Amino acid sequence: MPVQKFRSIEEMNKAPLPESRGSNFERFLRHCARWWAIAPKYYPRGVFKFRTIEEAQKAREKHLPLK
Amino acid sequence: MLATTGYASRMDRDEVMRVLRAFESAGLEYVLIGAAAMGFHGLVRATEDLDLFIRATPENIDKLRSALRAAYEGDPTIDEISSADLLGEYPAIRYVPPTGDLYFDVMTRLGEVASFETIDAEIKDVDGAKIRVATPAALYQLKKGTVRSQDHVDAAALRERFNLKDEG
């Protein structure tokens, strides 16, 4: 079923997703690879320490997109 | 191929598997959480990191260092991962390897809410590698109470997909 047709967005959103290749984990890895290709970021290398998860999440938000 | 610019380029399947196999070979006691764990359960979204809880003992932190040394041979920064930190004032560390293709958030505890011992997990097999992954219910419990908006989205997706109910 390569092409599906819908009368509305609601109908489209309710449609089951097509079967995809490989396991869930393989899909996850492929999805991440695409994400990285589209929106690469710069990360300073090494070990960083945090007192709380919130502190770690704030540090993550500082990462810069690759120009 | 290693990034020569110092910039991240892609999440490499071989690199992920090399690290997960190194965890297994070292006997690291860990549980995978976060987006990678959600991916195992069929809820696929992109991420730049692998999040894991590890059992909080000096021996296990030694195993973490051994595994990372095996996966990223010659990276001296791995020596900065210490029991004193992870069992003390810094229960979360981020390790960004020289490749920069992905990084690791390693936790020993999440406030009083969670630790390796409190997270239900199941074993998944990928190409013969055994990977310990948090269950959907455990992921939901971890994510539903945080302040991070992405966690709220994840929690809603887990609740819907697995028909999860709040306890109490």
Side-chain angles (χ1 to χ4, degrees), chain A residues 42-48 63, chain B residues 8 15 72 75 77 93-105:
Chain A
Y42 170 71
Y43 294 99
R45 309 297 194 255
V47 175
F48 305 87
H63 291 149
Chain B
E15 183 176 353
Y72 298 103
D75 182 6
T77 67
I93 62 130
R94 174 164 297 147
Y95 171 57
V96 186
T99 52
D101 289 341
L102 77 160
Y103 62 87
F104 303 87
D105 279 353

mmCIF file with all atom_site columns, all heavy atoms in Angstrom, chain A residues 42-48 63, chain B residues 8 15 72 75 77 93-105:
data_model
loop_
_atom_site.group_PDB
_atom_site.id
_atom_site.type_symbol
_atom_site.label_atom_id
_atom_site.label_alt_id
_atom_site.label_comp_id
_atom_site.label_asym_id
_atom_site.label_entity_id
_atom_site.label_seq_id
_atom_site.pdbx_PDB_ins_code
_atom_site.Cartn_x
_atom_site.Cartn_y
_atom_site.Cartn_z
_atom_site.occupancy
_atom_site.B_iso_or_equiv
_atom_site.pdbx_formal_charge
_atom_site.auth_seq_id
_atom_site.auth_comp_id
_atom_site.auth_asym_id
_atom_site.auth_atom_id
_atom_site.pdbx_PDB_model_num
ATOM 1   N N   . TYR A 1 42  ? 27.189 21.049 17.978 1.00 0.00 ? 42  TYR A N   1
ATOM 2   C CA  . TYR A 1 42  ? 28.539 20.965 18.508 1.00 0.00 ? 42  TYR A CA  1
ATOM 3   C C   . TYR A 1 42  ? 28.479 20.615 19.985 1.00 0.00 ? 42  TYR A C   1
ATOM 4   O O   . TYR A 1 42  ? 27.738 21.236 20.745 1.00 0.00 ? 42  TYR A O   1
ATOM 5   C CB  . TYR A 1 42  ? 29.275 22.292 18.349 1.00 0.00 ? 42  TYR A CB  1
ATOM 6   C CG  . TYR A 1 42  ? 30.579 22.300 19.100 1.00 0.00 ? 42  TYR A CG  1
ATOM 7   C CD1 . TYR A 1 42  ? 31.648 21.542 18.650 1.00 0.00 ? 42  TYR A CD1 1
ATOM 8   C CD2 . TYR A 1 42  ? 30.721 23.023 20.275 1.00 0.00 ? 42  TYR A CD2 1
ATOM 9   C CE1 . TYR A 1 42  ? 32.837 21.512 19.355 1.00 0.00 ? 42  TYR A CE1 1
ATOM 10  C CE2 . TYR A 1 42  ? 31.914 23.001 20.982 1.00 0.00 ? 42  TYR A CE2 1
ATOM 11  C CZ  . TYR A 1 42  ? 32.961 22.241 20.519 1.00 0.00 ? 42  TYR A CZ  1
ATOM 12  O OH  . TYR A 1 42  ? 34.135 22.203 21.221 1.00 0.00 ? 42  TYR A OH  1
ATOM 13  N N   . TYR A 1 43  ? 29.260 19.645 20.389 1.00 0.00 ? 43  TYR A N   1
ATOM 14  C CA  . TYR A 1 43  ? 29.350 19.278 21.793 1.00 0.00 ? 43  TYR A CA  1
ATOM 15  C C   . TYR A 1 43  ? 30.800 19.347 22.237 1.00 0.00 ? 43  TYR A C   1
ATOM 16  O O   . TYR A 1 43  ? 31.658 18.729 21.598 1.00 0.00 ? 43  TYR A O   1
ATOM 17  C CB  . TYR A 1 43  ? 28.857 17.850 22.020 1.00 0.00 ? 43  TYR A CB  1
ATOM 18  C CG  . TYR A 1 43  ? 27.391 17.689 21.745 1.00 0.00 ? 43  TYR A CG  1
ATOM 19  C CD1 . TYR A 1 43  ? 26.954 17.166 20.536 1.00 0.00 ? 43  TYR A CD1 1
ATOM 20  C CD2 . TYR A 1 43  ? 26.451 18.077 22.692 1.00 0.00 ? 43  TYR A CD2 1
ATOM 21  C CE1 . TYR A 1 43  ? 25.610 17.036 20.273 1.00 0.00 ? 43  TYR A CE1 1
ATOM 22  C CE2 . TYR A 1 43  ? 25.111 17.949 22.429 1.00 0.00 ? 43  TYR A CE2 1
ATOM 23  C CZ  . TYR A 1 43  ? 24.691 17.430 21.216 1.00 0.00 ? 43  TYR A CZ  1
ATOM 24  O OH  . TYR A 1 43  ? 23.365 17.310 20.942 1.00 0.00 ? 43  TYR A OH  1
ATOM 25  N N   . PRO A 1 44  ? 31.077 20.070 23.301 1.00 0.00 ? 44  PRO A N   1
ATOM 26  C CA  . PRO A 1 44  ? 32.428 19.992 23.843 1.00 0.00 ? 44  PRO A CA  1
ATOM 27  C C   . PRO A 1 44  ? 32.689 18.574 24.340 1.00 0.00 ? 44  PRO A C   1
ATOM 28  O O   . PRO A 1 44  ? 31.789 17.925 24.879 1.00 0.00 ? 44  PRO A O   1
ATOM 29  C CB  . PRO A 1 44  ? 32.410 20.993 25.003 1.00 0.00 ? 44  PRO A CB  1
ATOM 30  C CG  . PRO A 1 44  ? 30.978 21.192 25.332 1.00 0.00 ? 44  PRO A CG  1
ATOM 31  C CD  . PRO A 1 44  ? 30.192 20.910 24.090 1.00 0.00 ? 44  PRO A CD  1
ATOM 32  N N   . ARG A 1 45  ? 33.900 18.083 24.112 1.00 0.00 ? 45  ARG A N   1
ATOM 33  C CA  . ARG A 1 45  ? 34.218 16.698 24.466 1.00 0.00 ? 45  ARG A CA  1
ATOM 34  C C   . ARG A 1 45  ? 34.627 16.589 25.934 1.00 0.00 ? 45  ARG A C   1
ATOM 35  O O   . ARG A 1 45  ? 35.084 17.550 26.528 1.00 0.00 ? 45  ARG A O   1
ATOM 36  C CB  . ARG A 1 45  ? 35.366 16.173 23.596 1.00 0.00 ? 45  ARG A CB  1
ATOM 37  C CG  . ARG A 1 45  ? 35.166 16.379 22.101 1.00 0.00 ? 45  ARG A CG  1
ATOM 38  C CD  . ARG A 1 45  ? 33.957 15.609 21.606 1.00 0.00 ? 45  ARG A CD  1
ATOM 39  N NE  . ARG A 1 45  ? 33.938 15.529 20.157 1.00 0.00 ? 45  ARG A NE  1
ATOM 40  C CZ  . ARG A 1 45  ? 33.135 16.236 19.368 1.00 0.00 ? 45  ARG A CZ  1
ATOM 41  N NH1 . ARG A 1 45  ? 32.281 17.092 19.887 1.00 0.00 ? 45  ARG A NH1 1
ATOM 42  N NH2 . ARG A 1 45  ? 33.185 16.080 18.061 1.00 0.00 ? 45  ARG A NH2 1
ATOM 43  N N   . GLY A 1 46  ? 34.487 15.403 26.483 1.00 0.00 ? 46  GLY A N   1
ATOM 44  C CA  . GLY A 1 46  ? 34.983 15.135 27.825 1.00 0.00 ? 46  GLY A CA  1
ATOM 45  C C   . GLY A 1 46  ? 33.892 14.731 28.799 1.00 0.00 ? 46  GLY A C   1
ATOM 46  O O   . GLY A 1 46  ? 32.812 14.312 28.406 1.00 0.00 ? 46  GLY A O   1
ATOM 47  N N   . VAL A 1 47  ? 34.222 14.868 30.092 1.00 0.00 ? 47  VAL A N   1
ATOM 48  C CA  . VAL A 1 47  ? 33.315 14.453 31.169 1.00 0.00 ? 47  VAL A CA  1
ATOM 49  C C   . VAL A 1 47  ? 32.813 15.698 31.898 1.00 0.00 ? 47  VAL A C   1
ATOM 50  O O   . VAL A 1 47  ? 33.610 16.568 32.253 1.00 0.00 ? 47  VAL A O   1
ATOM 51  C CB  . VAL A 1 47  ? 34.036 13.507 32.160 1.00 0.00 ? 47  VAL A CB  1
ATOM 52  C CG1 . VAL A 1 47  ? 33.144 13.172 33.349 1.00 0.00 ? 47  VAL A CG1 1
ATOM 53  C CG2 . VAL A 1 47  ? 34.481 12.231 31.441 1.00 0.00 ? 47  VAL A CG2 1
ATOM 54  N N   . PHE A 1 48  ? 31.511 15.774 32.111 1.00 0.00 ? 48  PHE A N   1
ATOM 55  C CA  . PHE A 1 48  ? 30.890 16.913 32.783 1.00 0.00 ? 48  PHE A CA  1
ATOM 56  C C   . PHE A 1 48  ? 30.034 16.383 33.925 1.00 0.00 ? 48  PHE A C   1
ATOM 57  O O   . PHE A 1 48  ? 29.373 15.358 33.775 1.00 0.00 ? 48  PHE A O   1
ATOM 58  C CB  . PHE A 1 48  ? 30.046 17.715 31.793 1.00 0.00 ? 48  PHE A CB  1
ATOM 59  C CG  . PHE A 1 48  ? 30.853 18.150 30.594 1.00 0.00 ? 48  PHE A CG  1
ATOM 60  C CD1 . PHE A 1 48  ? 30.972 17.309 29.486 1.00 0.00 ? 48  PHE A CD1 1
ATOM 61  C CD2 . PHE A 1 48  ? 31.531 19.349 30.585 1.00 0.00 ? 48  PHE A CD2 1
ATOM 62  C CE1 . PHE A 1 48  ? 31.749 17.665 28.394 1.00 0.00 ? 48  PHE A CE1 1
ATOM 63  C CE2 . PHE A 1 48  ? 32.305 19.720 29.497 1.00 0.00 ? 48  PHE A CE2 1
ATOM 64  C CZ  . PHE A 1 48  ? 32.419 18.877 28.397 1.00 0.00 ? 48  PHE A CZ  1
ATOM 65  N N   . HIS A 1 63  ? 23.912 23.655 24.043 1.00 0.00 ? 63  HIS A N   1
ATOM 66  C CA  . HIS A 1 63  ? 24.669 23.174 22.890 1.00 0.00 ? 63  HIS A CA  1
ATOM 67  C C   . HIS A 1 63  ? 24.278 23.924 21.621 1.00 0.00 ? 63  HIS A C   1
ATOM 68  O O   . HIS A 1 63  ? 23.118 24.198 21.382 1.00 0.00 ? 63  HIS A O   1
ATOM 69  C CB  . HIS A 1 63  ? 24.441 21.680 22.685 1.00 0.00 ? 63  HIS A CB  1
ATOM 70  C CG  . HIS A 1 63  ? 25.073 20.881 23.779 1.00 0.00 ? 63  HIS A CG  1
ATOM 71  N ND1 . HIS A 1 63  ? 24.570 19.691 24.220 1.00 0.00 ? 63  HIS A ND1 1
ATOM 72  C CD2 . HIS A 1 63  ? 26.157 21.112 24.539 1.00 0.00 ? 63  HIS A CD2 1
ATOM 73  C CE1 . HIS A 1 63  ? 25.322 19.224 25.196 1.00 0.00 ? 63  HIS A CE1 1
ATOM 74  N NE2 . HIS A 1 63  ? 26.289 20.073 25.399 1.00 0.00 ? 63  HIS A NE2 1
ATOM 75  N N   . ALA B 2 8   ? 29.978 17.049 15.737 1.00 0.00 ? 8   ALA B N   1
ATOM 76  C CA  . ALA B 2 8   ? 29.208 15.819 15.622 1.00 0.00 ? 8   ALA B CA  1
ATOM 77  C C   . ALA B 2 8   ? 28.672 15.680 14.207 1.00 0.00 ? 8   ALA B C   1
ATOM 78  O O   . ALA B 2 8   ? 28.366 16.654 13.552 1.00 0.00 ? 8   ALA B O   1
ATOM 79  C CB  . ALA B 2 8   ? 28.036 15.873 16.596 1.00 0.00 ? 8   ALA B CB  1
ATOM 80  N N   . GLU B 2 15  ? 28.875 2.429  16.397 1.00 0.00 ? 15  GLU B N   1
ATOM 81  C CA  . GLU B 2 15  ? 29.375 2.997  17.654 1.00 0.00 ? 15  GLU B CA  1
ATOM 82  C C   . GLU B 2 15  ? 28.435 2.649  18.813 1.00 0.00 ? 15  GLU B C   1
ATOM 83  O O   . GLU B 2 15  ? 28.891 2.242  19.888 1.00 0.00 ? 15  GLU B O   1
ATOM 84  C CB  . GLU B 2 15  ? 29.520 4.516  17.524 1.00 0.00 ? 15  GLU B CB  1
ATOM 85  C CG  . GLU B 2 15  ? 30.100 5.158  18.785 1.00 0.00 ? 15  GLU B CG  1
ATOM 86  C CD  . GLU B 2 15  ? 30.330 6.658  18.630 1.00 0.00 ? 15  GLU B CD  1
ATOM 87  O OE1 . GLU B 2 15  ? 30.174 7.185  17.508 1.00 0.00 ? 15  GLU B OE1 1
ATOM 88  O OE2 . GLU B 2 15  ? 30.662 7.290  19.645 1.00 0.00 ? 15  GLU B OE2 1
ATOM 89  N N   . TYR B 2 72  ? 36.217 3.457  23.606 1.00 0.00 ? 72  TYR B N   1
ATOM 90  C CA  . TYR B 2 72  ? 36.892 4.685  23.144 1.00 0.00 ? 72  TYR B CA  1
ATOM 91  C C   . TYR B 2 72  ? 38.348 4.658  23.604 1.00 0.00 ? 72  TYR B C   1
ATOM 92  O O   . TYR B 2 72  ? 38.758 5.433  24.465 1.00 0.00 ? 72  TYR B O   1
ATOM 93  C CB  . TYR B 2 72  ? 36.168 5.925  23.684 1.00 0.00 ? 72  TYR B CB  1
ATOM 94  C CG  . TYR B 2 72  ? 34.749 6.027  23.203 1.00 0.00 ? 72  TYR B CG  1
ATOM 95  C CD1 . TYR B 2 72  ? 33.688 5.703  24.039 1.00 0.00 ? 72  TYR B CD1 1
ATOM 96  C CD2 . TYR B 2 72  ? 34.466 6.414  21.894 1.00 0.00 ? 72  TYR B CD2 1
ATOM 97  C CE1 . TYR B 2 72  ? 32.373 5.771  23.588 1.00 0.00 ? 72  TYR B CE1 1
ATOM 98  C CE2 . TYR B 2 72  ? 33.155 6.476  21.439 1.00 0.00 ? 72  TYR B CE2 1
ATOM 99  C CZ  . TYR B 2 72  ? 32.128 6.155  22.288 1.00 0.00 ? 72  TYR B CZ  1
ATOM 100 O OH  . TYR B 2 72  ? 30.828 6.222  21.837 1.00 0.00 ? 72  TYR B OH  1
ATOM 101 N N   . ASP B 2 75  ? 41.078 7.556  25.189 1.00 0.00 ? 75  ASP B N   1
ATOM 102 C CA  . ASP B 2 75  ? 40.510 8.840  25.625 1.00 0.00 ? 75  ASP B CA  1
ATOM 103 C C   . ASP B 2 75  ? 40.811 9.043  27.111 1.00 0.00 ? 75  ASP B C   1
ATOM 104 O O   . ASP B 2 75  ? 40.215 8.386  27.968 1.00 0.00 ? 75  ASP B O   1
ATOM 105 C CB  . ASP B 2 75  ? 38.998 8.868  25.385 1.00 0.00 ? 75  ASP B CB  1
ATOM 106 C CG  . ASP B 2 75  ? 38.402 10.211 25.789 1.00 0.00 ? 75  ASP B CG  1
ATOM 107 O OD1 . ASP B 2 75  ? 39.169 11.143 26.138 1.00 0.00 ? 75  ASP B OD1 1
ATOM 108 O OD2 . ASP B 2 75  ? 37.166 10.341 25.767 1.00 0.00 ? 75  ASP B OD2 1
ATOM 109 N N   . THR B 2 77  ? 40.009 11.370 29.089 1.00 0.00 ? 77  THR B N   1
ATOM 110 C CA  . THR B 2 77  ? 38.980 12.029 29.903 1.00 0.00 ? 77  THR B CA  1
ATOM 111 C C   . THR B 2 77  ? 38.129 11.021 30.679 1.00 0.00 ? 77  THR B C   1
ATOM 112 O O   . THR B 2 77  ? 37.507 11.379 31.680 1.00 0.00 ? 77  THR B O   1
ATOM 113 C CB  . THR B 2 77  ? 38.051 12.926 29.040 1.00 0.00 ? 77  THR B CB  1
ATOM 114 O OG1 . THR B 2 77  ? 37.275 12.114 28.164 1.00 0.00 ? 77  THR B OG1 1
ATOM 115 C CG2 . THR B 2 77  ? 38.840 13.929 28.235 1.00 0.00 ? 77  THR B CG2 1
ATOM 116 N N   . ILE B 2 93  ? 26.575 12.367 35.411 1.00 0.00 ? 93  ILE B N   1
ATOM 117 C CA  . ILE B 2 93  ? 27.707 12.827 34.604 1.00 0.00 ? 93  ILE B CA  1
ATOM 118 C C   . ILE B 2 93  ? 27.353 12.690 33.125 1.00 0.00 ? 93  ILE B C   1
ATOM 119 O O   . ILE B 2 93  ? 26.530 11.857 32.749 1.00 0.00 ? 93  ILE B O   1
ATOM 120 C CB  . ILE B 2 93  ? 29.022 12.065 34.901 1.00 0.00 ? 93  ILE B CB  1
ATOM 121 C CG1 . ILE B 2 93  ? 28.871 10.577 34.561 1.00 0.00 ? 93  ILE B CG1 1
ATOM 122 C CG2 . ILE B 2 93  ? 29.508 12.284 36.317 1.00 0.00 ? 93  ILE B CG2 1
ATOM 123 C CD1 . ILE B 2 93  ? 29.969 10.067 33.705 1.00 0.00 ? 93  ILE B CD1 1
ATOM 124 N N   . ARG B 2 94  ? 27.965 13.551 32.346 1.00 0.00 ? 94  ARG B N   1
ATOM 125 C CA  . ARG B 2 94  ? 27.797 13.471 30.880 1.00 0.00 ? 94  ARG B CA  1
ATOM 126 C C   . ARG B 2 94  ? 29.172 13.181 30.295 1.00 0.00 ? 94  ARG B C   1
ATOM 127 O O   . ARG B 2 94  ? 30.142 13.881 30.606 1.00 0.00 ? 94  ARG B O   1
ATOM 128 C CB  . ARG B 2 94  ? 27.253 14.794 30.358 1.00 0.00 ? 94  ARG B CB  1
ATOM 129 C CG  . ARG B 2 94  ? 27.172 14.870 28.830 1.00 0.00 ? 94  ARG B CG  1
ATOM 130 C CD  . ARG B 2 94  ? 26.288 16.026 28.397 1.00 0.00 ? 94  ARG B CD  1
ATOM 131 N NE  . ARG B 2 94  ? 24.932 15.801 28.883 1.00 0.00 ? 94  ARG B NE  1
ATOM 132 C CZ  . ARG B 2 94  ? 24.093 16.776 29.258 1.00 0.00 ? 94  ARG B CZ  1
ATOM 133 N NH1 . ARG B 2 94  ? 24.462 18.025 29.195 1.00 0.00 ? 94  ARG B NH1 1
ATOM 134 N NH2 . ARG B 2 94  ? 22.885 16.481 29.697 1.00 0.00 ? 94  ARG B NH2 1
ATOM 135 N N   . TYR B 2 95  ? 29.241 12.157 29.491 1.00 0.00 ? 95  TYR B N   1
ATOM 136 C CA  . TYR B 2 95  ? 30.494 11.840 28.807 1.00 0.00 ? 95  TYR B CA  1
ATOM 137 C C   . TYR B 2 95  ? 30.295 12.040 27.307 1.00 0.00 ? 95  TYR B C   1
ATOM 138 O O   . TYR B 2 95  ? 29.449 11.384 26.691 1.00 0.00 ? 95  TYR B O   1
ATOM 139 C CB  . TYR B 2 95  ? 30.911 10.398 29.098 1.00 0.00 ? 95  TYR B CB  1
ATOM 140 C CG  . TYR B 2 95  ? 32.082 9.941  28.241 1.00 0.00 ? 95  TYR B CG  1
ATOM 141 C CD1 . TYR B 2 95  ? 33.285 10.635 28.248 1.00 0.00 ? 95  TYR B CD1 1
ATOM 142 C CD2 . TYR B 2 95  ? 31.970 8.838  27.404 1.00 0.00 ? 95  TYR B CD2 1
ATOM 143 C CE1 . TYR B 2 95  ? 34.359 10.244 27.444 1.00 0.00 ? 95  TYR B CE1 1
ATOM 144 C CE2 . TYR B 2 95  ? 33.033 8.428  26.598 1.00 0.00 ? 95  TYR B CE2 1
ATOM 145 C CZ  . TYR B 2 95  ? 34.219 9.148  26.628 1.00 0.00 ? 95  TYR B CZ  1
ATOM 146 O OH  . TYR B 2 95  ? 35.268 8.763  25.828 1.00 0.00 ? 95  TYR B OH  1
ATOM 147 N N   . VAL B 2 96  ? 31.075 12.952 26.750 1.00 0.00 ? 96  VAL B N   1
ATOM 148 C CA  . VAL B 2 96  ? 31.046 13.183 25.299 1.00 0.00 ? 96  VAL B CA  1
ATOM 149 C C   . VAL B 2 96  ? 32.348 12.624 24.737 1.00 0.00 ? 96  VAL B C   1
ATOM 150 O O   . VAL B 2 96  ? 33.425 13.163 24.979 1.00 0.00 ? 96  VAL B O   1
ATOM 151 C CB  . VAL B 2 96  ? 30.917 14.679 24.953 1.00 0.00 ? 96  VAL B CB  1
ATOM 152 C CG1 . VAL B 2 96  ? 30.736 14.861 23.447 1.00 0.00 ? 96  VAL B CG1 1
ATOM 153 C CG2 . VAL B 2 96  ? 29.755 15.321 25.707 1.00 0.00 ? 96  VAL B CG2 1
ATOM 154 N N   . PRO B 2 97  ? 32.267 11.517 24.010 1.00 0.00 ? 97  PRO B N   1
ATOM 155 C CA  . PRO B 2 97  ? 33.487 10.862 23.519 1.00 0.00 ? 97  PRO B CA  1
ATOM 156 C C   . PRO B 2 97  ? 34.139 11.656 22.386 1.00 0.00 ? 97  PRO B C   1
ATOM 157 O O   . PRO B 2 97  ? 33.533 12.581 21.844 1.00 0.00 ? 97  PRO B O   1
ATOM 158 C CB  . PRO B 2 97  ? 32.988 9.504  23.026 1.00 0.00 ? 97  PRO B CB  1
ATOM 159 C CG  . PRO B 2 97  ? 31.553 9.700  22.737 1.00 0.00 ? 97  PRO B CG  1
ATOM 160 C CD  . PRO B 2 97  ? 31.053 10.771 23.652 1.00 0.00 ? 97  PRO B CD  1
ATOM 161 N N   . PRO B 2 98  ? 35.369 11.289 22.041 1.00 0.00 ? 98  PRO B N   1
ATOM 162 C CA  . PRO B 2 98  ? 36.088 12.033 20.994 1.00 0.00 ? 98  PRO B CA  1
ATOM 163 C C   . PRO B 2 98  ? 35.354 12.060 19.659 1.00 0.00 ? 98  PRO B C   1
ATOM 164 O O   . PRO B 2 98  ? 35.465 13.025 18.917 1.00 0.00 ? 98  PRO B O   1
ATOM 165 C CB  . PRO B 2 98  ? 37.406 11.271 20.850 1.00 0.00 ? 98  PRO B CB  1
ATOM 166 C CG  . PRO B 2 98  ? 37.572 10.542 22.126 1.00 0.00 ? 98  PRO B CG  1
ATOM 167 C CD  . PRO B 2 98  ? 36.198 10.216 22.613 1.00 0.00 ? 98  PRO B CD  1
ATOM 168 N N   . THR B 2 99  ? 34.580 11.019 19.357 1.00 0.00 ? 99  THR B N   1
ATOM 169 C CA  . THR B 2 99  ? 33.839 11.006 18.093 1.00 0.00 ? 99  THR B CA  1
ATOM 170 C C   . THR B 2 99  ? 32.762 12.070 18.069 1.00 0.00 ? 99  THR B C   1
ATOM 171 O O   . THR B 2 99  ? 32.479 12.652 17.022 1.00 0.00 ? 99  THR B O   1
ATOM 172 C CB  . THR B 2 99  ? 33.144 9.646  17.895 1.00 0.00 ? 99  THR B CB  1
ATOM 173 O OG1 . THR B 2 99  ? 32.390 9.367  19.073 1.00 0.00 ? 99  THR B OG1 1
ATOM 174 C CG2 . THR B 2 99  ? 34.140 8.542  17.655 1.00 0.00 ? 99  THR B CG2 1
ATOM 175 N N   . GLY B 2 100 ? 32.139 12.311 19.218 1.00 0.00 ? 100 GLY B N   1
ATOM 176 C CA  . GLY B 2 100 ? 31.083 13.310 19.314 1.00 0.00 ? 100 GLY B CA  1
ATOM 177 C C   . GLY B 2 100 ? 29.816 12.933 18.597 1.00 0.00 ? 100 GLY B C   1
ATOM 178 O O   . GLY B 2 100 ? 28.902 13.738 18.478 1.00 0.00 ? 100 GLY B O   1
ATOM 179 N N   . ASP B 2 101 ? 29.716 11.691 18.104 1.00 0.00 ? 101 ASP B N   1
ATOM 180 C CA  . ASP B 2 101 ? 28.508 11.290 17.391 1.00 0.00 ? 101 ASP B CA  1
ATOM 181 C C   . ASP B 2 101 ? 27.322 11.119 18.333 1.00 0.00 ? 101 ASP B C   1
ATOM 182 O O   . ASP B 2 101 ? 26.180 11.266 17.935 1.00 0.00 ? 101 ASP B O   1
ATOM 183 C CB  . ASP B 2 101 ? 28.734 9.986  16.636 1.00 0.00 ? 101 ASP B CB  1
ATOM 184 C CG  . ASP B 2 101 ? 29.648 10.211 15.437 1.00 0.00 ? 101 ASP B CG  1
ATOM 185 O OD1 . ASP B 2 101 ? 29.778 11.371 15.020 1.00 0.00 ? 101 ASP B OD1 1
ATOM 186 O OD2 . ASP B 2 101 ? 30.209 9.239  14.939 1.00 0.00 ? 101 ASP B OD2 1
ATOM 187 N N   . LEU B 2 102 ? 27.617 10.765 19.537 1.00 0.00 ? 102 LEU B N   1
ATOM 188 C CA  . LEU B 2 102 ? 26.584 10.681 20.544 1.00 0.00 ? 102 LEU B CA  1
ATOM 189 C C   . LEU B 2 102 ? 27.254 10.870 21.891 1.00 0.00 ? 102 LEU B C   1
ATOM 190 O O   . LEU B 2 102 ? 28.479 10.794 21.992 1.00 0.00 ? 102 LEU B O   1
ATOM 191 C CB  . LEU B 2 102 ? 25.848 9.344  20.516 1.00 0.00 ? 102 LEU B CB  1
ATOM 192 C CG  . LEU B 2 102 ? 26.534 8.125  21.110 1.00 0.00 ? 102 LEU B CG  1
ATOM 193 C CD1 . LEU B 2 102 ? 25.501 7.061  21.429 1.00 0.00 ? 102 LEU B CD1 1
ATOM 194 C CD2 . LEU B 2 102 ? 27.560 7.569  20.145 1.00 0.00 ? 102 LEU B CD2 1
ATOM 195 N N   . TYR B 2 103 ? 26.475 11.155 22.901 1.00 0.00 ? 103 TYR B N   1
ATOM 196 C CA  . TYR B 2 103 ? 27.068 11.253 24.223 1.00 0.00 ? 103 TYR B CA  1
ATOM 197 C C   . TYR B 2 103 ? 26.228 10.479 25.227 1.00 0.00 ? 103 TYR B C   1
ATOM 198 O O   . TYR B 2 103 ? 25.141 9.995  24.900 1.00 0.00 ? 103 TYR B O   1
ATOM 199 C CB  . TYR B 2 103 ? 27.268 12.708 24.644 1.00 0.00 ? 103 TYR B CB  1
ATOM 200 C CG  . TYR B 2 103 ? 26.022 13.546 24.761 1.00 0.00 ? 103 TYR B CG  1
ATOM 201 C CD1 . TYR B 2 103 ? 25.292 13.576 25.946 1.00 0.00 ? 103 TYR B CD1 1
ATOM 202 C CD2 . TYR B 2 103 ? 25.571 14.299 23.696 1.00 0.00 ? 103 TYR B CD2 1
ATOM 203 C CE1 . TYR B 2 103 ? 24.153 14.354 26.068 1.00 0.00 ? 103 TYR B CE1 1
ATOM 204 C CE2 . TYR B 2 103 ? 24.425 15.077 23.806 1.00 0.00 ? 103 TYR B CE2 1
ATOM 205 C CZ  . TYR B 2 103 ? 23.723 15.096 24.992 1.00 0.00 ? 103 TYR B CZ  1
ATOM 206 O OH  . TYR B 2 103 ? 22.597 15.863 25.094 1.00 0.00 ? 103 TYR B OH  1
ATOM 207 N N   . PHE B 2 104 ? 26.738 10.350 26.433 1.00 0.00 ? 104 PHE B N   1
ATOM 208 C CA  . PHE B 2 104 ? 26.123 9.488  27.430 1.00 0.00 ? 104 PHE B CA  1
ATOM 209 C C   . PHE B 2 104 ? 25.810 10.289 28.678 1.00 0.00 ? 104 PHE B C   1
ATOM 210 O O   . PHE B 2 104 ? 26.691 10.974 29.201 1.00 0.00 ? 104 PHE B O   1
ATOM 211 C CB  . PHE B 2 104 ? 27.077 8.341  27.796 1.00 0.00 ? 104 PHE B CB  1
ATOM 212 C CG  . PHE B 2 104 ? 27.488 7.539  26.603 1.00 0.00 ? 104 PHE B CG  1
ATOM 213 C CD1 . PHE B 2 104 ? 28.582 7.929  25.839 1.00 0.00 ? 104 PHE B CD1 1
ATOM 214 C CD2 . PHE B 2 104 ? 26.766 6.426  26.223 1.00 0.00 ? 104 PHE B CD2 1
ATOM 215 C CE1 . PHE B 2 104 ? 28.949 7.211  24.710 1.00 0.00 ? 104 PHE B CE1 1
ATOM 216 C CE2 . PHE B 2 104 ? 27.127 5.713  25.092 1.00 0.00 ? 104 PHE B CE2 1
ATOM 217 C CZ  . PHE B 2 104 ? 28.219 6.099  24.335 1.00 0.00 ? 104 PHE B CZ  1
ATOM 218 N N   . ASP B 2 105 ? 24.580 10.216 29.134 1.00 0.00 ? 105 ASP B N   1
ATOM 219 C CA  . ASP B 2 105 ? 24.206 10.751 30.434 1.00 0.00 ? 105 ASP B CA  1
ATOM 220 C C   . ASP B 2 105 ? 24.083 9.563  31.380 1.00 0.00 ? 105 ASP B C   1
ATOM 221 O O   . ASP B 2 105 ? 23.228 8.684  31.178 1.00 0.00 ? 105 ASP B O   1
ATOM 222 C CB  . ASP B 2 105 ? 22.886 11.518 30.364 1.00 0.00 ? 105 ASP B CB  1
ATOM 223 C CG  . ASP B 2 105 ? 23.075 12.937 29.844 1.00 0.00 ? 105 ASP B CG  1
ATOM 224 O OD1 . ASP B 2 105 ? 24.239 13.364 29.669 1.00 0.00 ? 105 ASP B OD1 1
ATOM 225 O OD2 . ASP B 2 105 ? 22.069 13.631 29.619 1.00 0.00 ? 105 ASP B OD2 1
#
